[in-house]
Amino acid sequence: KPIEDFLGGLPNRFHFEEYAQRLLSTAQRSNTDMALFYIDLYGFKAVNDNLGHEAGDEILSRVGNSLSSLLRRGDMAARVGGDEFVVIVDPVTDMDRLLMILEKLRSLILAANSADFSPYHVSASLGFAYTRVHGYELQDLMRIADSAMYEEKKAHHRQKKYASNDGKLTLAGVK
């Protein structure tokens, strides 16, 4: 089976799950905490639909390359679906470190934008699971992180509905 997604050179879901299972087993035996992040690109569909698949592929490639450059030895990122990515980080010693990684991931996604994609803009909804709280079962961690990501995505859509187009009304967190 192929182990790599063709855009960005990231591992695919199959390879990610295989690696993450081993990493989680080792972490549990050594009582080390890890975090799993689920990322969904917001605005990707508009880029893909309006600027073409080449522009969409460029966004996916930029995100994949950026994720690869951010990770430390032993961490892993993978593209698991159209515009969805997953990242596992080991070790994550506390919630402060986890939140710092979350913000780095969010900034990294924003950095994938360029004037070439104007007026469209890509951001991300992110969710996470933390072994200290959620245990060491990969499928549970992925489900929890995915669910948290969708909650953030729904909140983003609810906030967006109330932002006016005239620029007079803006809500915190709406990008």
Side-chain angles (χ1 to χ4, degrees):
K1 286 185 182 183
I3 63 167
E4 209 173 82
D5 178 78
F6 74 96
L7 291 171
L10 292 177
N12 62 22
R13 176 184 220 105
F14 174 77
H15 185 62
F16 174 82
E17 288 179 359
E18 193 174 81
Y19 179 78
Q21 290 283 14
R22 288 192 312 268
L23 201 59
L24 285 162
S25 292
T26 301
Q28 186 173 23
R29 281 193 306 275
S30 63
N31 201 27
T32 304
D33 290 314
M34 301 174 60
L36 186 138
F37 299 89
Y38 219 100
I39 304 166
D40 180 74
L41 299 183
Y42 182 78
F44 171 77
K45 185 173 177 0
V47 170
N48 211 37
D49 290 350
N50 294 293
L51 300 178
H53 292 285
E54 264 186 38
D57 289 352
E58 179 64 22
I59 288 280
L60 295 174
S61 182
R62 286 180 185 199
V63 170
N65 289 331
S66 295
L67 285 171
S68 293
S69 70
L70 174 76
L71 299 177
R72 303 164 304 173
R73 185 180 181 100
D75 299 342
M76 182 183 271
R79 182 167 162 235
V80 293
D83 63 350
E84 291 185 351
F85 298 83
V86 65
V87 177
I88 194 161
V89 179
D90 172 40
V92 178
T93 53
D94 55 40
M95 283 299 289
D96 288 339
R97 173 96 175 111
L98 187 148
L99 294 174
M100 183 186 77
I101 295 165
L102 186 71
E103 288 311 310
K104 278 186 178 179
L105 290 169
R106 198 175 303 281
S107 296
L108 176 141
I109 302 300
L110 292 175
N113 286 290
S114 90
D116 298 339
F117 306 128
S118 185
Y120 305 101
H121 179 80
V122 175
S123 61
S125 297
L126 287 99
F128 67 85
Y130 188 35
T131 56
R132 184 177 298 175
V133 177
H134 303 113
Y136 289 87
E137 292 298 321
L138 178 61
Q139 295 310 315
D140 291 342
L141 293 170
M142 288 184 72
R143 180 183 44 76
I144 290 163
D146 185 41
S147 179
M149 181 267 300
Y150 274 105
E151 285 302 313
E152 181 174 291
K153 192 175 190 172
K154 284 193 297 191
H156 181 85
H157 286 295
R158 281 192 302 268
Q159 288 179 343
K160 192 92 170 158
K161 274 198 254 180
Y162 298 106
S164 71
N165 290 335
D166 63 9
K168 292 179 184 170
L169 172 66
T170 58
L171 296 173
V174 176
K175 295 181 174 145

mmCIF file with all atom_site columns, all heavy atoms in Angstrom, residues 26-46:
data_model
loop_
_atom_site.group_PDB
_atom_site.id
_atom_site.type_symbol
_atom_site.label_atom_id
_atom_site.label_alt_id
_atom_site.label_comp_id
_atom_site.label_asym_id
_atom_site.label_entity_id
_atom_site.label_seq_id
_atom_site.pdbx_PDB_ins_code
_atom_site.Cartn_x
_atom_site.Cartn_y
_atom_site.Cartn_z
_atom_site.occupancy
_atom_site.B_iso_or_equiv
_atom_site.pdbx_formal_charge
_atom_site.auth_seq_id
_atom_site.auth_comp_id
_atom_site.auth_asym_id
_atom_site.auth_atom_id
_atom_site.pdbx_PDB_model_num
ATOM 1   N N   . THR A 1 26 ? 4.055   2.976  23.196 1.00 0.00 ? 26 THR A N   1
ATOM 2   C CA  . THR A 1 26 ? 5.303   3.340  23.881 1.00 0.00 ? 26 THR A CA  1
ATOM 3   C C   . THR A 1 26 ? 5.051   4.424  24.925 1.00 0.00 ? 26 THR A C   1
ATOM 4   O O   . THR A 1 26 ? 5.561   4.361  26.043 1.00 0.00 ? 26 THR A O   1
ATOM 5   C CB  . THR A 1 26 ? 6.356   3.825  22.858 1.00 0.00 ? 26 THR A CB  1
ATOM 6   O OG1 . THR A 1 26 ? 6.584   2.772  21.919 1.00 0.00 ? 26 THR A OG1 1
ATOM 7   C CG2 . THR A 1 26 ? 7.655   4.207  23.527 1.00 0.00 ? 26 THR A CG2 1
ATOM 8   N N   . ALA A 1 27 ? 4.266   5.417  24.578 1.00 0.00 ? 27 ALA A N   1
ATOM 9   C CA  . ALA A 1 27 ? 3.963   6.514  25.504 1.00 0.00 ? 27 ALA A CA  1
ATOM 10  C C   . ALA A 1 27 ? 3.216   6.003  26.733 1.00 0.00 ? 27 ALA A C   1
ATOM 11  O O   . ALA A 1 27 ? 3.499   6.419  27.864 1.00 0.00 ? 27 ALA A O   1
ATOM 12  C CB  . ALA A 1 27 ? 3.151   7.593  24.794 1.00 0.00 ? 27 ALA A CB  1
ATOM 13  N N   . GLN A 1 28 ? 2.287   5.087  26.529 1.00 0.00 ? 28 GLN A N   1
ATOM 14  C CA  . GLN A 1 28 ? 1.532   4.554  27.663 1.00 0.00 ? 28 GLN A CA  1
ATOM 15  C C   . GLN A 1 28 ? 2.446   3.758  28.592 1.00 0.00 ? 28 GLN A C   1
ATOM 16  O O   . GLN A 1 28 ? 2.382   3.915  29.807 1.00 0.00 ? 28 GLN A O   1
ATOM 17  C CB  . GLN A 1 28 ? 0.383   3.682  27.166 1.00 0.00 ? 28 GLN A CB  1
ATOM 18  C CG  . GLN A 1 28 ? -0.527  3.214  28.277 1.00 0.00 ? 28 GLN A CG  1
ATOM 19  C CD  . GLN A 1 28 ? -1.761  2.502  27.756 1.00 0.00 ? 28 GLN A CD  1
ATOM 20  O OE1 . GLN A 1 28 ? -1.770  1.979  26.630 1.00 0.00 ? 28 GLN A OE1 1
ATOM 21  N NE2 . GLN A 1 28 ? -2.798  2.473  28.561 1.00 0.00 ? 28 GLN A NE2 1
ATOM 22  N N   . ARG A 1 29 ? 3.315   2.944  28.010 1.00 0.00 ? 29 ARG A N   1
ATOM 23  C CA  . ARG A 1 29 ? 4.247   2.162  28.841 1.00 0.00 ? 29 ARG A CA  1
ATOM 24  C C   . ARG A 1 29 ? 5.193   3.059  29.634 1.00 0.00 ? 29 ARG A C   1
ATOM 25  O O   . ARG A 1 29 ? 5.551   2.762  30.757 1.00 0.00 ? 29 ARG A O   1
ATOM 26  C CB  . ARG A 1 29 ? 5.048   1.191  27.973 1.00 0.00 ? 29 ARG A CB  1
ATOM 27  C CG  . ARG A 1 29 ? 4.292   -0.049 27.590 1.00 0.00 ? 29 ARG A CG  1
ATOM 28  C CD  . ARG A 1 29 ? 5.193   -1.135 27.012 1.00 0.00 ? 29 ARG A CD  1
ATOM 29  N NE  . ARG A 1 29 ? 6.019   -0.704 25.891 1.00 0.00 ? 29 ARG A NE  1
ATOM 30  C CZ  . ARG A 1 29 ? 5.627   -0.667 24.624 1.00 0.00 ? 29 ARG A CZ  1
ATOM 31  N NH1 . ARG A 1 29 ? 4.404   -1.029 24.305 1.00 0.00 ? 29 ARG A NH1 1
ATOM 32  N NH2 . ARG A 1 29 ? 6.441   -0.278 23.674 1.00 0.00 ? 29 ARG A NH2 1
ATOM 33  N N   . SER A 1 30 ? 5.602   4.186  29.045 1.00 0.00 ? 30 SER A N   1
ATOM 34  C CA  . SER A 1 30 ? 6.538   5.087  29.728 1.00 0.00 ? 30 SER A CA  1
ATOM 35  C C   . SER A 1 30 ? 5.826   6.229  30.463 1.00 0.00 ? 30 SER A C   1
ATOM 36  O O   . SER A 1 30 ? 6.485   7.127  30.969 1.00 0.00 ? 30 SER A O   1
ATOM 37  C CB  . SER A 1 30 ? 7.550   5.650  28.721 1.00 0.00 ? 30 SER A CB  1
ATOM 38  O OG  . SER A 1 30 ? 6.879   6.420  27.748 1.00 0.00 ? 30 SER A OG  1
ATOM 39  N N   . ASN A 1 31 ? 4.492   6.163  30.479 1.00 0.00 ? 31 ASN A N   1
ATOM 40  C CA  . ASN A 1 31 ? 3.689   7.170  31.184 1.00 0.00 ? 31 ASN A CA  1
ATOM 41  C C   . ASN A 1 31 ? 3.977   8.585  30.674 1.00 0.00 ? 31 ASN A C   1
ATOM 42  O O   . ASN A 1 31 ? 4.165   9.521  31.440 1.00 0.00 ? 31 ASN A O   1
ATOM 43  C CB  . ASN A 1 31 ? 3.898   7.071  32.695 1.00 0.00 ? 31 ASN A CB  1
ATOM 44  C CG  . ASN A 1 31 ? 2.756   7.698  33.455 1.00 0.00 ? 31 ASN A CG  1
ATOM 45  O OD1 . ASN A 1 31 ? 1.634   7.765  32.960 1.00 0.00 ? 31 ASN A OD1 1
ATOM 46  N ND2 . ASN A 1 31 ? 3.048   8.170  34.646 1.00 0.00 ? 31 ASN A ND2 1
ATOM 47  N N   . THR A 1 32 ? 4.031   8.723  29.360 1.00 0.00 ? 32 THR A N   1
ATOM 48  C CA  . THR A 1 32 ? 4.272   10.001 28.691 1.00 0.00 ? 32 THR A CA  1
ATOM 49  C C   . THR A 1 32 ? 2.968   10.475 28.056 1.00 0.00 ? 32 THR A C   1
ATOM 50  O O   . THR A 1 32 ? 2.219   9.676  27.513 1.00 0.00 ? 32 THR A O   1
ATOM 51  C CB  . THR A 1 32 ? 5.327   9.820  27.581 1.00 0.00 ? 32 THR A CB  1
ATOM 52  O OG1 . THR A 1 32 ? 6.502   9.263  28.142 1.00 0.00 ? 32 THR A OG1 1
ATOM 53  C CG2 . THR A 1 32 ? 5.664   11.137 26.917 1.00 0.00 ? 32 THR A CG2 1
ATOM 54  N N   . ASP A 1 33 ? 2.716   11.764 28.132 1.00 0.00 ? 33 ASP A N   1
ATOM 55  C CA  . ASP A 1 33 ? 1.502   12.310 27.540 1.00 0.00 ? 33 ASP A CA  1
ATOM 56  C C   . ASP A 1 33 ? 1.754   12.810 26.123 1.00 0.00 ? 33 ASP A C   1
ATOM 57  O O   . ASP A 1 33 ? 2.814   13.335 25.815 1.00 0.00 ? 33 ASP A O   1
ATOM 58  C CB  . ASP A 1 33 ? 0.958   13.461 28.397 1.00 0.00 ? 33 ASP A CB  1
ATOM 59  C CG  . ASP A 1 33 ? 0.409   12.953 29.713 1.00 0.00 ? 33 ASP A CG  1
ATOM 60  O OD1 . ASP A 1 33 ? -0.333  11.949 29.697 1.00 0.00 ? 33 ASP A OD1 1
ATOM 61  O OD2 . ASP A 1 33 ? 0.717   13.551 30.757 1.00 0.00 ? 33 ASP A OD2 1
ATOM 62  N N   . MET A 1 34 ? 0.740   12.641 25.291 1.00 0.00 ? 34 MET A N   1
ATOM 63  C CA  . MET A 1 34 ? 0.789   13.047 23.893 1.00 0.00 ? 34 MET A CA  1
ATOM 64  C C   . MET A 1 34 ? -0.486  13.800 23.554 1.00 0.00 ? 34 MET A C   1
ATOM 65  O O   . MET A 1 34 ? -1.475  13.711 24.263 1.00 0.00 ? 34 MET A O   1
ATOM 66  C CB  . MET A 1 34 ? 0.870   11.806 22.997 1.00 0.00 ? 34 MET A CB  1
ATOM 67  C CG  . MET A 1 34 ? 2.065   10.934 23.266 1.00 0.00 ? 34 MET A CG  1
ATOM 68  S SD  . MET A 1 34 ? 1.992   9.422  22.294 1.00 0.00 ? 34 MET A SD  1
ATOM 69  C CE  . MET A 1 34 ? 1.988   10.085 20.659 1.00 0.00 ? 34 MET A CE  1
ATOM 70  N N   . ALA A 1 35 ? -0.456  14.491 22.421 1.00 0.00 ? 35 ALA A N   1
ATOM 71  C CA  . ALA A 1 35 ? -1.655  15.175 21.937 1.00 0.00 ? 35 ALA A CA  1
ATOM 72  C C   . ALA A 1 35 ? -1.872  14.817 20.480 1.00 0.00 ? 35 ALA A C   1
ATOM 73  O O   . ALA A 1 35 ? -0.922  14.623 19.723 1.00 0.00 ? 35 ALA A O   1
ATOM 74  C CB  . ALA A 1 35 ? -1.508  16.685 22.088 1.00 0.00 ? 35 ALA A CB  1
ATOM 75  N N   . LEU A 1 36 ? -3.135  14.731 20.106 1.00 0.00 ? 36 LEU A N   1
ATOM 76  C CA  . LEU A 1 36 ? -3.521  14.501 18.729 1.00 0.00 ? 36 LEU A CA  1
ATOM 77  C C   . LEU A 1 36 ? -4.394  15.680 18.306 1.00 0.00 ? 36 LEU A C   1
ATOM 78  O O   . LEU A 1 36 ? -5.323  16.054 19.012 1.00 0.00 ? 36 LEU A O   1
ATOM 79  C CB  . LEU A 1 36 ? -4.298  13.187 18.603 1.00 0.00 ? 36 LEU A CB  1
ATOM 80  C CG  . LEU A 1 36 ? -4.613  12.784 17.168 1.00 0.00 ? 36 LEU A CG  1
ATOM 81  C CD1 . LEU A 1 36 ? -4.388  11.288 17.001 1.00 0.00 ? 36 LEU A CD1 1
ATOM 82  C CD2 . LEU A 1 36 ? -6.031  13.137 16.784 1.00 0.00 ? 36 LEU A CD2 1
ATOM 83  N N   . PHE A 1 37 ? -4.054  16.282 17.174 1.00 0.00 ? 37 PHE A N   1
ATOM 84  C CA  . PHE A 1 37 ? -4.766  17.445 16.652 1.00 0.00 ? 37 PHE A CA  1
ATOM 85  C C   . PHE A 1 37 ? -5.432  17.073 15.331 1.00 0.00 ? 37 PHE A C   1
ATOM 86  O O   . PHE A 1 37 ? -4.816  16.424 14.490 1.00 0.00 ? 37 PHE A O   1
ATOM 87  C CB  . PHE A 1 37 ? -3.797  18.609 16.401 1.00 0.00 ? 37 PHE A CB  1
ATOM 88  C CG  . PHE A 1 37 ? -3.094  19.071 17.634 1.00 0.00 ? 37 PHE A CG  1
ATOM 89  C CD1 . PHE A 1 37 ? -1.889  18.491 18.012 1.00 0.00 ? 37 PHE A CD1 1
ATOM 90  C CD2 . PHE A 1 37 ? -3.631  20.070 18.423 1.00 0.00 ? 37 PHE A CD2 1
ATOM 91  C CE1 . PHE A 1 37 ? -1.226  18.907 19.156 1.00 0.00 ? 37 PHE A CE1 1
ATOM 92  C CE2 . PHE A 1 37 ? -2.977  20.494 19.569 1.00 0.00 ? 37 PHE A CE2 1
ATOM 93  C CZ  . PHE A 1 37 ? -1.773  19.912 19.935 1.00 0.00 ? 37 PHE A CZ  1
ATOM 94  N N   . TYR A 1 38 ? -6.664  17.510 15.160 1.00 0.00 ? 38 TYR A N   1
ATOM 95  C CA  . TYR A 1 38 ? -7.396  17.315 13.916 1.00 0.00 ? 38 TYR A CA  1
ATOM 96  C C   . TYR A 1 38 ? -7.606  18.688 13.303 1.00 0.00 ? 38 TYR A C   1
ATOM 97  O O   . TYR A 1 38 ? -8.025  19.615 13.985 1.00 0.00 ? 38 TYR A O   1
ATOM 98  C CB  . TYR A 1 38 ? -8.742  16.650 14.207 1.00 0.00 ? 38 TYR A CB  1
ATOM 99  C CG  . TYR A 1 38 ? -9.149  15.620 13.184 1.00 0.00 ? 38 TYR A CG  1
ATOM 100 C CD1 . TYR A 1 38 ? -8.978  14.265 13.432 1.00 0.00 ? 38 TYR A CD1 1
ATOM 101 C CD2 . TYR A 1 38 ? -9.719  15.992 11.973 1.00 0.00 ? 38 TYR A CD2 1
ATOM 102 C CE1 . TYR A 1 38 ? -9.352  13.317 12.499 1.00 0.00 ? 38 TYR A CE1 1
ATOM 103 C CE2 . TYR A 1 38 ? -10.096 15.047 11.037 1.00 0.00 ? 38 TYR A CE2 1
ATOM 104 C CZ  . TYR A 1 38 ? -9.912  13.713 11.305 1.00 0.00 ? 38 TYR A CZ  1
ATOM 105 O OH  . TYR A 1 38 ? -10.275 12.768 10.365 1.00 0.00 ? 38 TYR A OH  1
ATOM 106 N N   . ILE A 1 39 ? -7.296  18.838 12.031 1.00 0.00 ? 39 ILE A N   1
ATOM 107 C CA  . ILE A 1 39 ? -7.337  20.135 11.355 1.00 0.00 ? 39 ILE A CA  1
ATOM 108 C C   . ILE A 1 39 ? -8.219  20.033 10.114 1.00 0.00 ? 39 ILE A C   1
ATOM 109 O O   . ILE A 1 39 ? -8.044  19.130 9.296  1.00 0.00 ? 39 ILE A O   1
ATOM 110 C CB  . ILE A 1 39 ? -5.914  20.569 10.910 1.00 0.00 ? 39 ILE A CB  1
ATOM 111 C CG1 . ILE A 1 39 ? -4.961  20.601 12.095 1.00 0.00 ? 39 ILE A CG1 1
ATOM 112 C CG2 . ILE A 1 39 ? -5.960  21.905 10.183 1.00 0.00 ? 39 ILE A CG2 1
ATOM 113 C CD1 . ILE A 1 39 ? -3.489  20.688 11.689 1.00 0.00 ? 39 ILE A CD1 1
ATOM 114 N N   . ASP A 1 40 ? -9.150  20.964 9.986  1.00 0.00 ? 40 ASP A N   1
ATOM 115 C CA  . ASP A 1 40 ? -9.976  21.074 8.786  1.00 0.00 ? 40 ASP A CA  1
ATOM 116 C C   . ASP A 1 40 ? -9.775  22.465 8.215  1.00 0.00 ? 40 ASP A C   1
ATOM 117 O O   . ASP A 1 40 ? -9.926  23.457 8.919  1.00 0.00 ? 40 ASP A O   1
ATOM 118 C CB  . ASP A 1 40 ? -11.452 20.863 9.136  1.00 0.00 ? 40 ASP A CB  1
ATOM 119 C CG  . ASP A 1 40 ? -12.344 20.966 7.912  1.00 0.00 ? 40 ASP A CG  1
ATOM 120 O OD1 . ASP A 1 40 ? -12.340 20.023 7.102  1.00 0.00 ? 40 ASP A OD1 1
ATOM 121 O OD2 . ASP A 1 40 ? -13.038 21.992 7.767  1.00 0.00 ? 40 ASP A OD2 1
ATOM 122 N N   . LEU A 1 41 ? -9.416  22.546 6.948  1.00 0.00 ? 41 LEU A N   1
ATOM 123 C CA  . LEU A 1 41 ? -9.182  23.850 6.329  1.00 0.00 ? 41 LEU A CA  1
ATOM 124 C C   . LEU A 1 41 ? -10.510 24.543 6.052  1.00 0.00 ? 41 LEU A C   1
ATOM 125 O O   . LEU A 1 41 ? -11.416 23.956 5.470  1.00 0.00 ? 41 LEU A O   1
ATOM 126 C CB  . LEU A 1 41 ? -8.398  23.698 5.030  1.00 0.00 ? 41 LEU A CB  1
ATOM 127 C CG  . LEU A 1 41 ? -7.008  23.080 5.158  1.00 0.00 ? 41 LEU A CG  1
ATOM 128 C CD1 . LEU A 1 41 ? -6.321  23.056 3.797  1.00 0.00 ? 41 LEU A CD1 1
ATOM 129 C CD2 . LEU A 1 41 ? -6.162  23.818 6.176  1.00 0.00 ? 41 LEU A CD2 1
ATOM 130 N N   . TYR A 1 42 ? -10.613 25.764 6.497  1.00 0.00 ? 42 TYR A N   1
ATOM 131 C CA  . TYR A 1 42 ? -11.798 26.581 6.271  1.00 0.00 ? 42 TYR A CA  1
ATOM 132 C C   . TYR A 1 42 ? -11.489 27.550 5.128  1.00 0.00 ? 42 TYR A C   1
ATOM 133 O O   . TYR A 1 42 ? -10.481 28.245 5.169  1.00 0.00 ? 42 TYR A O   1
ATOM 134 C CB  . TYR A 1 42 ? -12.169 27.341 7.550  1.00 0.00 ? 42 TYR A CB  1
ATOM 135 C CG  . TYR A 1 42 ? -13.410 28.159 7.404  1.00 0.00 ? 42 TYR A CG  1
ATOM 136 C CD1 . TYR A 1 42 ? -14.662 27.556 7.457  1.00 0.00 ? 42 TYR A CD1 1
ATOM 137 C CD2 . TYR A 1 42 ? -13.341 29.517 7.164  1.00 0.00 ? 42 TYR A CD2 1
ATOM 138 C CE1 . TYR A 1 42 ? -15.808 28.300 7.296  1.00 0.00 ? 42 TYR A CE1 1
ATOM 139 C CE2 . TYR A 1 42 ? -14.491 30.267 7.002  1.00 0.00 ? 42 TYR A CE2 1
ATOM 140 C CZ  . TYR A 1 42 ? -15.718 29.654 7.066  1.00 0.00 ? 42 TYR A CZ  1
ATOM 141 O OH  . TYR A 1 42 ? -16.852 30.382 6.899  1.00 0.00 ? 42 TYR A OH  1
ATOM 142 N N   . GLY A 1 43 ? -12.320 27.558 4.111  1.00 0.00 ? 43 GLY A N   1
ATOM 143 C CA  . GLY A 1 43 ? -12.087 28.427 2.957  1.00 0.00 ? 43 GLY A CA  1
ATOM 144 C C   . GLY A 1 43 ? -11.432 27.698 1.802  1.00 0.00 ? 43 GLY A C   1
ATOM 145 O O   . GLY A 1 43 ? -11.292 28.257 0.709  1.00 0.00 ? 43 GLY A O   1
ATOM 146 N N   . PHE A 1 44 ? -11.027 26.464 2.018  1.00 0.00 ? 44 PHE A N   1
ATOM 147 C CA  . PHE A 1 44 ? -10.370 25.691 0.972  1.00 0.00 ? 44 PHE A CA  1
ATOM 148 C C   . PHE A 1 44 ? -11.295 25.473 -0.225 1.00 0.00 ? 44 PHE A C   1
ATOM 149 O O   . PHE A 1 44 ? -10.896 25.619 -1.379 1.00 0.00 ? 44 PHE A O   1
ATOM 150 C CB  . PHE A 1 44 ? -9.887  24.341 1.509  1.00 0.00 ? 44 PHE A CB  1
ATOM 151 C CG  . PHE A 1 44 ? -9.386  23.418 0.442  1.00 0.00 ? 44 PHE A CG  1
ATOM 152 C CD1 . PHE A 1 44 ? -8.138  23.600 -0.120 1.00 0.00 ? 44 PHE A CD1 1
ATOM 153 C CD2 . PHE A 1 44 ? -10.177 22.379 -0.027 1.00 0.00 ? 44 PHE A CD2 1
ATOM 154 C CE1 . PHE A 1 44 ? -7.670  22.768 -1.127 1.00 0.00 ? 44 PHE A CE1 1
ATOM 155 C CE2 . PHE A 1 44 ? -9.725  21.539 -1.034 1.00 0.00 ? 44 PHE A CE2 1
ATOM 156 C CZ  . PHE A 1 44 ? -8.474  21.731 -1.579 1.00 0.00 ? 44 PHE A CZ  1
ATOM 157 N N   . LYS A 1 45 ? -12.548 25.143 0.037  1.00 0.00 ? 45 LYS A N   1
ATOM 158 C CA  . LYS A 1 45 ? -13.496 24.873 -1.041 1.00 0.00 ? 45 LYS A CA  1
ATOM 159 C C   . LYS A 1 45 ? -13.644 26.097 -1.950 1.00 0.00 ? 45 LYS A C   1
ATOM 160 O O   . LYS A 1 45 ? -13.704 25.957 -3.175 1.00 0.00 ? 45 LYS A O   1
ATOM 161 C CB  . LYS A 1 45 ? -14.851 24.456 -0.465 1.00 0.00 ? 45 LYS A CB  1
ATOM 162 C CG  . LYS A 1 45 ? -15.863 24.051 -1.529 1.00 0.00 ? 45 LYS A CG  1
ATOM 163 C CD  . LYS A 1 45 ? -17.112 23.493 -0.896 1.00 0.00 ? 45 LYS A CD  1
ATOM 164 C CE  . LYS A 1 45 ? -18.215 23.123 -1.830 1.00 0.00 ? 45 LYS A CE  1
ATOM 165 N NZ  . LYS A 1 45 ? -18.087 23.283 -3.224 1.00 0.00 ? 45 LYS A NZ  1
ATOM 166 N N   . ALA A 1 46 ? -13.680 27.296 -1.364 1.00 0.00 ? 46 ALA A N   1
ATOM 167 C CA  . ALA A 1 46 ? -13.806 28.518 -2.176 1.00 0.00 ? 46 ALA A CA  1
ATOM 168 C C   . ALA A 1 46 ? -12.588 28.697 -3.083 1.00 0.00 ? 46 ALA A C   1
ATOM 169 O O   . ALA A 1 46 ? -12.734 29.070 -4.253 1.00 0.00 ? 46 ALA A O   1
ATOM 170 C CB  . ALA A 1 46 ? -13.979 29.740 -1.276 1.00 0.00 ? 46 ALA A CB  1
#
